[in-house]
Amino acid sequence: MVDHNVTSAPGIAGVLGLPKSMVDQTVATLFGSDDLKWARPAPEDTVRARGLRLTDKGRITTQKAAAVAPVRVNQPLVYDQMLWKAAPYDHPRGQAEEDGMLTLPVARSGPIDDGDVTAAEITALLRENGTTNREVLQVKTITQAKARRILPVKLLLYADEERTDIEIGVVVDGELSKAHELALIGHGGAKALGITVAPPPERPLLEPNLEKARVPLEEVTQHRAEQAAFQLGSQTPTPGPPSAPQPEADEIRAIGVFEHPDILDEALTHARRRILIISPWIKNAIITTDFLGKLERRLTRGVKVDIAYGYEDNDTKTDPAAVRKLTNLPPATRTSSPSPASRAPTPRCSSTTTSG
């Protein structure tokens, strides 16, 4: 426009039919990039008045821009319905209910409107994902997929017996998301998800000889706190040649929920005599191909495996497909089929023996 004798911001806004504020912002940006200048006309120029002029750099920029023609494309986009905004997630996936996950509330129900996503937002997402050679000029229309995609996140809950409220954190792609936390609090927080604080059940007593050998919970907690303090304060050790694994002494102690995956993997990898698993439910999220492969290797090595499950008479949380995967193990390796256990204890914090 400037090169065609439209040399004022109001004139450009009038010709293009754009708000003057938008034109003023663009002119300021072009001044900053040395594409525009403010100049008087030459003495022999009796046509143009004082106004905007292209710099030498601006003429080159104009030529390059004229060679670029806008095209209409379909741009896949992930929309976070909890925050009600476009999001940079790469690989959202579904089947949340089958994996036993809770579904977080959405900001509002209904389809996404065309005005809910702007061209600037899409351009910013493209830049964030590494696409720098494309700029979105206009959003023509939005088409929403029929099936919603689910992004798994982790909830961090903080509570104790003396407090009735529950602090909650939301971890998205490995990082705490303050925006999701505030959105969840606005929808009722942990209470809206049916998460409550209940007093812990009394610890069941062991056999007298095992109860005598059991390490008290206070001692376990103190030992773990000392270990964490040492690891935080120590330097990263220099890698050395791997040492031969040493057999661990039998230990009877309280374990936390966060230890269960590591202890289960240790048993499936190194147990030599017997594995006993007692769980309220059997879930697809646990009975994976990796789990079944390790379990079958233990069985072929002569390890006896007993699996007891069941929390109530009407067990609705166990995945039948997961049970079938266990019972379908080759007969030559299956030494003990999973069996329902009436009201088996929930393994929140239980006593266990660990051995080689």
Side-chain angles (χ1 to χ4, degrees), residues 72-105:
R72 182 170 181 172
V73 298
N74 293 326
Q75 176 63 47
L77 189 69
V78 176
Y79 200 82
D80 190 326
Q81 289 188 283
M82 186 176 182
L83 302 182
W84 208 254
K85 61 182 294 187
Y89 311 135
D90 290 331
H91 304 291
R93 56 182 183 268
Q95 298 184 346
E97 294 182 358
E98 294 182 12
D99 292 338
M101 297 183 184
L102 296 173
T103 302
L104 299 183

PDB file of all heavy atoms in Angstrom, residues 72-105:
ATOM      1  N   ARG A  72      -4.895 -22.249   1.482  1.00  0.00           N
ATOM      2  CA  ARG A  72      -5.811 -22.765   2.499  1.00  0.00           C
ATOM      3  C   ARG A  72      -5.436 -24.211   2.808  1.00  0.00           C
ATOM      4  O   ARG A  72      -5.392 -25.050   1.902  1.00  0.00           O
ATOM      5  CB  ARG A  72      -7.249 -22.678   2.010  1.00  0.00           C
ATOM      6  CG  ARG A  72      -8.271 -23.158   3.031  1.00  0.00           C
ATOM      7  CD  ARG A  72      -9.676 -22.828   2.584  1.00  0.00           C
ATOM      8  NE  ARG A  72     -10.658 -23.268   3.556  1.00  0.00           N
ATOM      9  CZ  ARG A  72     -11.957 -22.980   3.500  1.00  0.00           C
ATOM     10  NH1 ARG A  72     -12.409 -22.234   2.491  1.00  0.00           N
ATOM     11  NH2 ARG A  72     -12.788 -23.413   4.424  1.00  0.00           N
ATOM     12  N   VAL A  73      -5.173 -24.501   4.064  1.00  0.00           N
ATOM     13  CA  VAL A  73      -4.780 -25.847   4.474  1.00  0.00           C
ATOM     14  C   VAL A  73      -5.584 -26.246   5.700  1.00  0.00           C
ATOM     15  O   VAL A  73      -6.125 -25.404   6.422  1.00  0.00           O
ATOM     16  CB  VAL A  73      -3.266 -25.929   4.796  1.00  0.00           C
ATOM     17  CG1 VAL A  73      -2.428 -25.605   3.586  1.00  0.00           C
ATOM     18  CG2 VAL A  73      -2.912 -25.003   5.960  1.00  0.00           C
ATOM     19  N   ASN A  74      -5.656 -27.541   5.915  1.00  0.00           N
ATOM     20  CA  ASN A  74      -6.252 -28.087   7.138  1.00  0.00           C
ATOM     21  C   ASN A  74      -5.146 -28.307   8.153  1.00  0.00           C
ATOM     22  O   ASN A  74      -4.189 -29.045   7.880  1.00  0.00           O
ATOM     23  CB  ASN A  74      -6.977 -29.397   6.845  1.00  0.00           C
ATOM     24  CG  ASN A  74      -8.195 -29.202   5.965  1.00  0.00           C
ATOM     25  OD1 ASN A  74      -8.876 -28.181   6.064  1.00  0.00           O
ATOM     26  ND2 ASN A  74      -8.475 -30.171   5.108  1.00  0.00           N
ATOM     27  N   GLN A  75      -5.244 -27.671   9.308  1.00  0.00           N
ATOM     28  CA  GLN A  75      -4.216 -27.761  10.334  1.00  0.00           C
ATOM     29  C   GLN A  75      -4.748 -28.552  11.525  1.00  0.00           C
ATOM     30  O   GLN A  75      -5.643 -28.075  12.244  1.00  0.00           O
ATOM     31  CB  GLN A  75      -3.789 -26.353  10.788  1.00  0.00           C
ATOM     32  CG  GLN A  75      -2.779 -26.335  11.927  1.00  0.00           C
ATOM     33  CD  GLN A  75      -1.466 -26.977  11.536  1.00  0.00           C
ATOM     34  OE1 GLN A  75      -0.929 -26.685  10.466  1.00  0.00           O
ATOM     35  NE2 GLN A  75      -0.954 -27.858  12.369  1.00  0.00           N
ATOM     36  N   PRO A  76      -4.239 -29.789  11.769  1.00  0.00           N
ATOM     37  CA  PRO A  76      -4.666 -30.535  12.972  1.00  0.00           C
ATOM     38  C   PRO A  76      -4.294 -29.761  14.233  1.00  0.00           C
ATOM     39  O   PRO A  76      -3.215 -29.162  14.321  1.00  0.00           O
ATOM     40  CB  PRO A  76      -3.891 -31.850  12.871  1.00  0.00           C
ATOM     41  CG  PRO A  76      -3.474 -31.954  11.440  1.00  0.00           C
ATOM     42  CD  PRO A  76      -3.271 -30.548  10.966  1.00  0.00           C
ATOM     43  N   LEU A  77      -5.186 -29.787  15.191  1.00  0.00           N
ATOM     44  CA  LEU A  77      -4.989 -28.980  16.398  1.00  0.00           C
ATOM     45  C   LEU A  77      -5.569 -29.718  17.593  1.00  0.00           C
ATOM     46  O   LEU A  77      -6.640 -30.325  17.497  1.00  0.00           O
ATOM     47  CB  LEU A  77      -5.680 -27.624  16.223  1.00  0.00           C
ATOM     48  CG  LEU A  77      -5.418 -26.556  17.273  1.00  0.00           C
ATOM     49  CD1 LEU A  77      -3.978 -26.074  17.186  1.00  0.00           C
ATOM     50  CD2 LEU A  77      -6.358 -25.379  17.081  1.00  0.00           C
ATOM     51  N   VAL A  78      -4.843 -29.698  18.702  1.00  0.00           N
ATOM     52  CA  VAL A  78      -5.333 -30.270  19.959  1.00  0.00           C
ATOM     53  C   VAL A  78      -5.937 -29.148  20.793  1.00  0.00           C
ATOM     54  O   VAL A  78      -5.316 -28.096  20.964  1.00  0.00           O
ATOM     55  CB  VAL A  78      -4.198 -30.960  20.730  1.00  0.00           C
ATOM     56  CG1 VAL A  78      -4.705 -31.467  22.077  1.00  0.00           C
ATOM     57  CG2 VAL A  78      -3.644 -32.116  19.917  1.00  0.00           C
ATOM     58  N   TYR A  79      -7.128 -29.370  21.298  1.00  0.00           N
ATOM     59  CA  TYR A  79      -7.820 -28.348  22.090  1.00  0.00           C
ATOM     60  C   TYR A  79      -8.036 -28.878  23.500  1.00  0.00           C
ATOM     61  O   TYR A  79      -8.635 -29.934  23.697  1.00  0.00           O
ATOM     62  CB  TYR A  79      -9.159 -27.993  21.449  1.00  0.00           C
ATOM     63  CG  TYR A  79      -9.701 -26.659  21.894  1.00  0.00           C
ATOM     64  CD1 TYR A  79      -9.263 -25.480  21.303  1.00  0.00           C
ATOM     65  CD2 TYR A  79     -10.638 -26.578  22.919  1.00  0.00           C
ATOM     66  CE1 TYR A  79      -9.748 -24.262  21.708  1.00  0.00           C
ATOM     67  CE2 TYR A  79     -11.139 -25.354  23.333  1.00  0.00           C
ATOM     68  CZ  TYR A  79     -10.697 -24.194  22.726  1.00  0.00           C
ATOM     69  OH  TYR A  79     -11.165 -22.972  23.137  1.00  0.00           O
ATOM     70  N   ASP A  80      -7.506 -28.167  24.478  1.00  0.00           N
ATOM     71  CA  ASP A  80      -7.629 -28.548  25.884  1.00  0.00           C
ATOM     72  C   ASP A  80      -8.972 -28.041  26.398  1.00  0.00           C
ATOM     73  O   ASP A  80      -9.153 -26.856  26.639  1.00  0.00           O
ATOM     74  CB  ASP A  80      -6.475 -27.938  26.692  1.00  0.00           C
ATOM     75  CG  ASP A  80      -6.410 -28.493  28.109  1.00  0.00           C
ATOM     76  OD1 ASP A  80      -7.476 -28.791  28.674  1.00  0.00           O
ATOM     77  OD2 ASP A  80      -5.299 -28.620  28.643  1.00  0.00           O
ATOM     78  N   GLN A  81      -9.931 -28.950  26.568  1.00  0.00           N
ATOM     79  CA  GLN A  81     -11.263 -28.530  26.981  1.00  0.00           C
ATOM     80  C   GLN A  81     -11.345 -28.197  28.465  1.00  0.00           C
ATOM     81  O   GLN A  81     -12.336 -27.608  28.901  1.00  0.00           O
ATOM     82  CB  GLN A  81     -12.278 -29.622  26.634  1.00  0.00           C
ATOM     83  CG  GLN A  81     -12.518 -29.747  25.129  1.00  0.00           C
ATOM     84  CD  GLN A  81     -13.652 -30.688  24.814  1.00  0.00           C
ATOM     85  OE1 GLN A  81     -13.492 -31.900  24.874  1.00  0.00           O
ATOM     86  NE2 GLN A  81     -14.803 -30.148  24.481  1.00  0.00           N
ATOM     87  N   MET A  82     -10.334 -28.559  29.224  1.00  0.00           N
ATOM     88  CA  MET A  82     -10.319 -28.162  30.636  1.00  0.00           C
ATOM     89  C   MET A  82      -9.942 -26.689  30.765  1.00  0.00           C
ATOM     90  O   MET A  82     -10.518 -25.958  31.570  1.00  0.00           O
ATOM     91  CB  MET A  82      -9.333 -29.037  31.414  1.00  0.00           C
ATOM     92  CG  MET A  82      -9.361 -28.791  32.907  1.00  0.00           C
ATOM     93  SD  MET A  82      -8.264 -29.935  33.797  1.00  0.00           S
ATOM     94  CE  MET A  82      -8.584 -29.412  35.491  1.00  0.00           C
ATOM     95  N   LEU A  83      -8.967 -26.244  29.965  1.00  0.00           N
ATOM     96  CA  LEU A  83      -8.571 -24.840  29.963  1.00  0.00           C
ATOM     97  C   LEU A  83      -9.317 -24.046  28.902  1.00  0.00           C
ATOM     98  O   LEU A  83      -9.248 -22.816  28.898  1.00  0.00           O
ATOM     99  CB  LEU A  83      -7.058 -24.726  29.713  1.00  0.00           C
ATOM    100  CG  LEU A  83      -6.139 -25.444  30.699  1.00  0.00           C
ATOM    101  CD1 LEU A  83      -4.689 -25.196  30.328  1.00  0.00           C
ATOM    102  CD2 LEU A  83      -6.408 -25.006  32.130  1.00  0.00           C
ATOM    103  N   TRP A  84      -9.979 -24.724  27.986  1.00  0.00           N
ATOM    104  CA  TRP A  84     -10.710 -24.136  26.862  1.00  0.00           C
ATOM    105  C   TRP A  84      -9.788 -23.263  26.022  1.00  0.00           C
ATOM    106  O   TRP A  84     -10.013 -22.087  25.782  1.00  0.00           O
ATOM    107  CB  TRP A  84     -11.917 -23.352  27.332  1.00  0.00           C
ATOM    108  CG  TRP A  84     -12.992 -23.337  26.267  1.00  0.00           C
ATOM    109  CD1 TRP A  84     -13.335 -22.286  25.475  1.00  0.00           C
ATOM    110  CD2 TRP A  84     -13.845 -24.425  25.894  1.00  0.00           C
ATOM    111  NE1 TRP A  84     -14.336 -22.655  24.612  1.00  0.00           N
ATOM    112  CE2 TRP A  84     -14.677 -23.976  24.846  1.00  0.00           C
ATOM    113  CE3 TRP A  84     -13.969 -25.739  26.328  1.00  0.00           C
ATOM    114  CZ2 TRP A  84     -15.631 -24.784  24.241  1.00  0.00           C
ATOM    115  CZ3 TRP A  84     -14.911 -26.546  25.722  1.00  0.00           C
ATOM    116  CH2 TRP A  84     -15.720 -26.073  24.698  1.00  0.00           C
ATOM    117  N   LYS A  85      -8.710 -23.869  25.563  1.00  0.00           N
ATOM    118  CA  LYS A  85      -7.759 -23.183  24.696  1.00  0.00           C
ATOM    119  C   LYS A  85      -6.963 -24.225  23.915  1.00  0.00           C
ATOM    120  O   LYS A  85      -6.868 -25.383  24.321  1.00  0.00           O
ATOM    121  CB  LYS A  85      -6.810 -22.298  25.514  1.00  0.00           C
ATOM    122  CG  LYS A  85      -5.972 -23.074  26.520  1.00  0.00           C
ATOM    123  CD  LYS A  85      -5.077 -22.144  27.337  1.00  0.00           C
ATOM    124  CE  LYS A  85      -4.017 -21.489  26.475  1.00  0.00           C
ATOM    125  NZ  LYS A  85      -3.044 -20.721  27.275  1.00  0.00           N
ATOM    126  N   ALA A  86      -6.403 -23.786  22.798  1.00  0.00           N
ATOM    127  CA  ALA A  86      -5.553 -24.672  22.006  1.00  0.00           C
ATOM    128  C   ALA A  86      -4.296 -25.008  22.798  1.00  0.00           C
ATOM    129  O   ALA A  86      -3.780 -24.188  23.565  1.00  0.00           O
ATOM    130  CB  ALA A  86      -5.198 -24.009  20.686  1.00  0.00           C
ATOM    131  N   ALA A  87      -3.783 -26.237  22.617  1.00  0.00           N
ATOM    132  CA  ALA A  87      -2.658 -26.717  23.427  1.00  0.00           C
ATOM    133  C   ALA A  87      -1.607 -27.361  22.529  1.00  0.00           C
ATOM    134  O   ALA A  87      -1.914 -27.852  21.445  1.00  0.00           O
ATOM    135  CB  ALA A  87      -3.149 -27.721  24.463  1.00  0.00           C
ATOM    136  N   PRO A  88      -0.342 -27.378  23.000  1.00  0.00           N
ATOM    137  CA  PRO A  88       0.750 -27.915  22.178  1.00  0.00           C
ATOM    138  C   PRO A  88       1.021 -29.396  22.370  1.00  0.00           C
ATOM    139  O   PRO A  88       2.121 -29.852  22.092  1.00  0.00           O
ATOM    140  CB  PRO A  88       1.954 -27.084  22.657  1.00  0.00           C
ATOM    141  CG  PRO A  88       1.673 -26.849  24.105  1.00  0.00           C
ATOM    142  CD  PRO A  88       0.164 -26.701  24.208  1.00  0.00           C
ATOM    143  N   TYR A  89       0.053 -30.167  22.895  1.00  0.00           N
ATOM    144  CA  TYR A  89       0.301 -31.573  23.160  1.00  0.00           C
ATOM    145  C   TYR A  89       0.528 -32.319  21.853  1.00  0.00           C
ATOM    146  O   TYR A  89      -0.139 -32.058  20.848  1.00  0.00           O
ATOM    147  CB  TYR A  89      -0.867 -32.202  23.910  1.00  0.00           C
ATOM    148  CG  TYR A  89      -1.325 -31.406  25.102  1.00  0.00           C
ATOM    149  CD1 TYR A  89      -2.676 -31.192  25.344  1.00  0.00           C
ATOM    150  CD2 TYR A  89      -0.403 -30.837  25.969  1.00  0.00           C
ATOM    151  CE1 TYR A  89      -3.099 -30.450  26.435  1.00  0.00           C
ATOM    152  CE2 TYR A  89      -0.819 -30.088  27.062  1.00  0.00           C
ATOM    153  CZ  TYR A  89      -2.174 -29.896  27.284  1.00  0.00           C
ATOM    154  OH  TYR A  89      -2.579 -29.151  28.353  1.00  0.00           O
ATOM    155  N   ASP A  90       1.453 -33.267  21.888  1.00  0.00           N
ATOM    156  CA  ASP A  90       1.823 -33.994  20.670  1.00  0.00           C
ATOM    157  C   ASP A  90       1.013 -35.265  20.465  1.00  0.00           C
ATOM    158  O   ASP A  90       0.540 -35.541  19.375  1.00  0.00           O
ATOM    159  CB  ASP A  90       3.321 -34.345  20.697  1.00  0.00           C
ATOM    160  CG  ASP A  90       4.193 -33.114  20.534  1.00  0.00           C
ATOM    161  OD1 ASP A  90       3.734 -32.162  19.893  1.00  0.00           O
ATOM    162  OD2 ASP A  90       5.310 -33.119  21.058  1.00  0.00           O
ATOM    163  N   HIS A  91       0.886 -36.079  21.529  1.00  0.00           N
ATOM    164  CA  HIS A  91       0.324 -37.419  21.342  1.00  0.00           C
ATOM    165  C   HIS A  91      -0.759 -37.712  22.378  1.00  0.00           C
ATOM    166  O   HIS A  91      -0.567 -38.553  23.254  1.00  0.00           O
ATOM    167  CB  HIS A  91       1.413 -38.485  21.427  1.00  0.00           C
ATOM    168  CG  HIS A  91       2.529 -38.271  20.450  1.00  0.00           C
ATOM    169  ND1 HIS A  91       2.362 -38.428  19.101  1.00  0.00           N
ATOM    170  CD2 HIS A  91       3.805 -37.896  20.634  1.00  0.00           C
ATOM    171  CE1 HIS A  91       3.497 -38.166  18.487  1.00  0.00           C
ATOM    172  NE2 HIS A  91       4.386 -37.841  19.391  1.00  0.00           N
ATOM    173  N   PRO A  92      -1.896 -37.024  22.318  1.00  0.00           N
ATOM    174  CA  PRO A  92      -2.978 -37.416  23.221  1.00  0.00           C
ATOM    175  C   PRO A  92      -3.527 -38.771  22.840  1.00  0.00           C
ATOM    176  O   PRO A  92      -3.489 -39.160  21.673  1.00  0.00           O
ATOM    177  CB  PRO A  92      -4.022 -36.311  23.006  1.00  0.00           C
ATOM    178  CG  PRO A  92      -3.748 -35.811  21.641  1.00  0.00           C
ATOM    179  CD  PRO A  92      -2.261 -35.942  21.420  1.00  0.00           C
ATOM    180  N   ARG A  93      -4.034 -39.511  23.785  1.00  0.00           N
ATOM    181  CA  ARG A  93      -4.556 -40.839  23.465  1.00  0.00           C
ATOM    182  C   ARG A  93      -5.780 -41.136  24.325  1.00  0.00           C
ATOM    183  O   ARG A  93      -6.061 -40.452  25.307  1.00  0.00           O
ATOM    184  CB  ARG A  93      -3.484 -41.909  23.701  1.00  0.00           C
ATOM    185  CG  ARG A  93      -2.879 -41.952  25.099  1.00  0.00           C
ATOM    186  CD  ARG A  93      -1.797 -43.028  25.164  1.00  0.00           C
ATOM    187  NE  ARG A  93      -1.239 -43.159  26.489  1.00  0.00           N
ATOM    188  CZ  ARG A  93      -0.173 -42.501  26.913  1.00  0.00           C
ATOM    189  NH1 ARG A  93       0.425 -41.648  26.103  1.00  0.00           N
ATOM    190  NH2 ARG A  93       0.298 -42.682  28.123  1.00  0.00           N
ATOM    191  N   GLY A  94      -6.517 -42.165  23.960  1.00  0.00           N
ATOM    192  CA  GLY A  94      -7.785 -42.456  24.607  1.00  0.00           C
ATOM    193  C   GLY A  94      -7.729 -43.643  25.541  1.00  0.00           C
ATOM    194  O   GLY A  94      -6.700 -43.984  26.095  1.00  0.00           O
ATOM    195  N   GLN A  95      -8.907 -44.283  25.707  1.00  0.00           N
ATOM    196  CA  GLN A  95      -9.069 -45.456  26.552  1.00  0.00           C
ATOM    197  C   GLN A  95      -8.736 -45.162  28.015  1.00  0.00           C
ATOM    198  O   GLN A  95      -8.126 -45.955  28.706  1.00  0.00           O
ATOM    199  CB  GLN A  95      -8.203 -46.616  26.056  1.00  0.00           C
ATOM    200  CG  GLN A  95      -8.562 -47.086  24.649  1.00  0.00           C
ATOM    201  CD  GLN A  95      -7.758 -48.286  24.226  1.00  0.00           C
ATOM    202  OE1 GLN A  95      -6.768 -48.636  24.852  1.00  0.00           O
ATOM    203  NE2 GLN A  95      -8.169 -48.928  23.159  1.00  0.00           N
ATOM    204  N   ALA A  96      -9.177 -43.996  28.490  1.00  0.00           N
ATOM    205  CA  ALA A  96      -8.901 -43.639  29.879  1.00  0.00           C
ATOM    206  C   ALA A  96      -9.675 -44.517  30.849  1.00  0.00           C
ATOM    207  O   ALA A  96      -9.133 -44.968  31.855  1.00  0.00           O
ATOM    208  CB  ALA A  96      -9.242 -42.164  30.113  1.00  0.00           C
ATOM    209  N   GLU A  97     -10.958 -44.775  30.543  1.00  0.00           N
ATOM    210  CA  GLU A  97     -11.774 -45.568  31.458  1.00  0.00           C
ATOM    211  C   GLU A  97     -11.284 -47.001  31.533  1.00  0.00           C
ATOM    212  O   GLU A  97     -11.274 -47.611  32.599  1.00  0.00           O
ATOM    213  CB  GLU A  97     -13.231 -45.517  31.014  1.00  0.00           C
ATOM    214  CG  GLU A  97     -13.858 -44.117  31.142  1.00  0.00           C
ATOM    215  CD  GLU A  97     -15.316 -44.108  30.734  1.00  0.00           C
ATOM    216  OE1 GLU A  97     -15.805 -45.184  30.324  1.00  0.00           O
ATOM    217  OE2 GLU A  97     -15.939 -43.048  30.823  1.00  0.00           O
ATOM    218  N   GLU A  98     -10.840 -47.553  30.401  1.00  0.00           N
ATOM    219  CA  GLU A  98     -10.342 -48.925  30.413  1.00  0.00           C
ATOM    220  C   GLU A  98      -9.073 -49.045  31.232  1.00  0.00           C
ATOM    221  O   GLU A  98      -8.779 -50.109  31.773  1.00  0.00           O
ATOM    222  CB  GLU A  98     -10.087 -49.399  28.981  1.00  0.00           C
ATOM    223  CG  GLU A  98     -11.360 -49.523  28.155  1.00  0.00           C
ATOM    224  CD  GLU A  98     -11.078 -50.044  26.759  1.00  0.00           C
ATOM    225  OE1 GLU A  98      -9.942 -50.509  26.533  1.00  0.00           O
ATOM    226  OE2 GLU A  98     -11.978 -49.992  25.906  1.00  0.00           O
ATOM    227  N   ASP A  99      -8.289 -47.969  31.329  1.00  0.00           N
ATOM    228  CA  ASP A  99      -7.069 -47.987  32.119  1.00  0.00           C
ATOM    229  C   ASP A  99      -7.315 -47.593  33.570  1.00  0.00           C
ATOM    230  O   ASP A  99      -6.372 -47.407  34.332  1.00  0.00           O
ATOM    231  CB  ASP A  99      -6.028 -47.036  31.504  1.00  0.00           C
ATOM    232  CG  ASP A  99      -5.533 -47.541  30.159  1.00  0.00           C
ATOM    233  OD1 ASP A  99      -5.662 -48.758  29.918  1.00  0.00           O
ATOM    234  OD2 ASP A  99      -5.026 -46.744  29.370  1.00  0.00           O
ATOM    235  N   GLY A 100      -8.574 -47.430  33.961  1.00  0.00           N
ATOM    236  CA  GLY A 100      -8.906 -47.105  35.345  1.00  0.00           C
ATOM    237  C   GLY A 100      -8.607 -45.675  35.728  1.00  0.00           C
ATOM    238  O   GLY A 100      -8.351 -45.396  36.903  1.00  0.00           O
ATOM    239  N   MET A 101      -8.634 -44.742  34.771  1.00  0.00           N
ATOM    240  CA  MET A 101      -8.310 -43.340  35.054  1.00  0.00           C
ATOM    241  C   MET A 101      -9.566 -42.536  35.371  1.00  0.00           C
ATOM    242  O   MET A 101     -10.661 -42.858  34.917  1.00  0.00           O
ATOM    243  CB  MET A 101      -7.605 -42.699  33.854  1.00  0.00           C
ATOM    244  CG  MET A 101      -6.276 -43.316  33.494  1.00  0.00           C
ATOM    245  SD  MET A 101      -5.499 -42.431  32.119  1.00  0.00           S
ATOM    246  CE  MET A 101      -4.039 -43.444  31.864  1.00  0.00           C
ATOM    247  N   LEU A 102      -9.384 -41.482  36.151  1.00  0.00           N
ATOM    248  CA  LEU A 102     -10.439 -40.506  36.381  1.00  0.00           C
ATOM    249  C   LEU A 102     -10.436 -39.510  35.228  1.00  0.00           C
ATOM    250  O   LEU A 102      -9.391 -39.209  34.647  1.00  0.00           O
ATOM    251  CB  LEU A 102     -10.216 -39.756  37.697  1.00  0.00           C
ATOM    252  CG  LEU A 102     -10.282 -40.575  38.991  1.00  0.00           C
ATOM    253  CD1 LEU A 102      -9.873 -39.706  40.164  1.00  0.00           C
ATOM    254  CD2 LEU A 102     -11.673 -41.124  39.209  1.00  0.00           C
ATOM    255  N   THR A 103     -11.593 -38.980  34.898  1.00  0.00           N
ATOM    256  CA  THR A 103     -11.708 -37.962  33.858  1.00  0.00           C
ATOM    257  C   THR A 103     -11.863 -36.601  34.517  1.00  0.00           C
ATOM    258  O   THR A 103     -12.802 -36.385  35.292  1.00  0.00           O
ATOM    259  CB  THR A 103     -12.903 -38.243  32.933  1.00  0.00           C
ATOM    260  OG1 THR A 103     -12.752 -39.542  32.354  1.00  0.00           O
ATOM    261  CG2 THR A 103     -12.973 -37.205  31.824  1.00  0.00           C
ATOM    262  N   LEU A 104     -10.954 -35.689  34.223  1.00  0.00           N
ATOM    263  CA  LEU A 104     -11.018 -34.360  34.813  1.00  0.00           C
ATOM    264  C   LEU A 104     -12.135 -33.550  34.156  1.00  0.00           C
ATOM    265  O   LEU A 104     -12.464 -33.767  32.987  1.00  0.00           O
ATOM    266  CB  LEU A 104      -9.676 -33.637  34.632  1.00  0.00           C
ATOM    267  CG  LEU A 104      -8.469 -34.305  35.299  1.00  0.00           C
ATOM    268  CD1 LEU A 104      -7.216 -33.453  35.107  1.00  0.00           C
ATOM    269  CD2 LEU A 104      -8.710 -34.523  36.788  1.00  0.00           C
ATOM    270  N   PRO A 105     -12.725 -32.604  34.898  1.00  0.00           N
ATOM    271  CA  PRO A 105     -13.851 -31.829  34.347  1.00  0.00           C
ATOM    272  C   PRO A 105     -13.404 -30.889  33.236  1.00  0.00           C
ATOM    273  O   PRO A 105     -12.234 -30.504  33.155  1.00  0.00           O
ATOM    274  CB  PRO A 105     -14.355 -31.047  35.564  1.00  0.00           C
ATOM    275  CG  PRO A 105     -13.170 -30.953  36.476  1.00  0.00           C
ATOM    276  CD  PRO A 105     -12.407 -32.224  36.289  1.00  0.00           C
TER     277      PRO A 105
END
